[in-house]
Amino acid sequence: MQSGHGQNIAWSIALAGGLALCLVLFLLFRAQAQSLTKVAQRSRELAAEIAEYRRVEEALAERTTRLEAVRDVAVEITRELDLTTLLGLITRRAVELVGTQSGVLYLWDEATQVLMPHAWHGYEEWIREVRLGLGEGIAGTVAQRREGVIVEDYRTSPLAHPALKERTGAMTVLAEPLLYRDRLVGVLVLLNPHGVGRPFTVADRNLLTLFAAAGGYCYRERPAPRYRSATL
């Protein structure tokens, strides 16, 4: 009896020891798992911080490049005396720096009360014949409102001009008015066709505003030429 009782005690002690060991191992594994979870969470946070840092770095680099390009354009503007060549230069540089496919600069003709293309890039000769009154199409609307606009889906926009919509195949459009002392000078329009390029951003609009301001100033500060277009 004593021998059997001793065996029961031994088994109880062994079982208790085994349970204690299992408990210790469980606590260790749980602590390890929690530690790994924290490490994984921190790794994700660090990855997000690195991605954000790279995004900011790239944005700053792009902004620096754009500012340097704008400075170069300003130098070119001060050297160029011919208005038609100058407006063509502004249009081309705007297209290049914003990174779009085409652009057109309309001038406002006070005598006929219409916008007429004066310089363009990426268009064929048909654009020469376009005439837009106030409120007609995106350019006419921008001229009427005296404020810029970004249109993400040109084909479904109520601002789209039927004839231009069929000829351009535009998907996204960015436009800014050319003003001089609150007087309308014209409108600068950039566009990307369907499936090409990226959506326009507020930064793109801010950049185009600089070119539009330069165009408005140059037009009023230089003798107005007879109507002739600059095809780029």
Side-chain angles (χ1 to χ4, degrees):
M1 292 292 294
Q2 292 181 352
S3 176
H5 181 68
Q7 288 180 352
N8 289 336
I9 293 175
W11 278 109
S12 298
I13 294 174
L15 180 60
L19 291 175
L21 177 61
C22 289
L23 179 60
V24 170
L25 291 175
F26 170 76
L27 293 176
L28 288 175
F29 283 135
R30 187 175 68 173
Q32 184 68 16
Q34 292 175 343
S35 177
L36 291 175
T37 300
K38 291 180 180 179
V39 170
Q41 177 64 26
R42 184 52 183 161
S43 296
R44 288 192 293 269
E45 293 174 354
L46 287 174
E49 291 175 3
I50 292 172
E52 177 64 15
Y53 173 79
R54 289 177 177 173
R55 187 192 66 78
V56 172
E57 187 179 44
E58 291 173 357
L60 288 174
E62 181 181 2
R63 179 176 176 82
T64 300
T65 300
R66 286 186 168 189
L67 289 175
E68 291 175 349
V70 169
R71 180 197 60 193
D72 294 340
V73 171
V75 173
E76 293 180 88
I77 288 175
T78 58
R79 293 176 178 173
E80 181 57 58
L81 299 178
D82 180 72
L83 181 60
T84 296
T85 303
L86 183 57
L87 295 179
L89 171 66
I90 290 173
T91 304
R92 176 167 56 86
R93 292 299 193 198
V95 168
E96 293 173 349
L97 288 181
V98 175
T100 184
Q101 293 293 307
S102 55
V104 55
L105 190 151
Y106 296 91
L107 289 182
W108 174 248
D109 186 79
E110 295 182 356
T112 59
Q113 294 290 290
V114 295
L115 291 165
M116 298 190 297
H118 196 84
W120 56 84
H121 177 83
Y123 283 95
E124 297 179 358
E125 285 298 306
W126 62 265
I127 192 68
R128 184 192 302 273
E129 306 303 324
V130 174
R131 299 293 184 271
L132 298 171
L134 291 179
E136 290 187 324
I138 289 179
T141 301
V142 169
Q144 184 178 56
R145 297 176 180 175
R146 303 294 203 275
E147 63 179 10
V149 66
I150 296 177
V151 177
E152 296 182 355
D153 191 348
Y154 181 73
R155 287 189 172 275
T156 61
S157 172
L159 301 181
H161 190 280
L164 292 176
K165 181 169 64 175
E166 294 301 321
R167 299 296 295 268
T168 63
M171 189 63 177
T172 56
V173 180
L174 172 63
E176 285 291 331
L178 276 68
L179 304 173
Y180 182 73
R181 296 179 181 175
D182 295 328
R183 294 182 60 186
L184 178 64
V185 172
V187 178
L188 182 55
V189 182
L190 303 183
L191 63 85
N192 273 327
H194 179 70
V196 177
R198 55 172 176 74
F200 291 118
T201 64
V202 174
D204 295 328
R205 183 177 173 183
N206 292 338
L207 181 60
L208 190 63
T209 299
L210 296 177
F211 284 101
Y217 177 81
C218 293
Y219 181 77
R220 288 303 179 184
E221 289 299 314
R222 288 168 170 77
R226 294 181 178 178
Y227 178 72
R228 62 186 180 92
S229 62
T231 306
L232 305 174

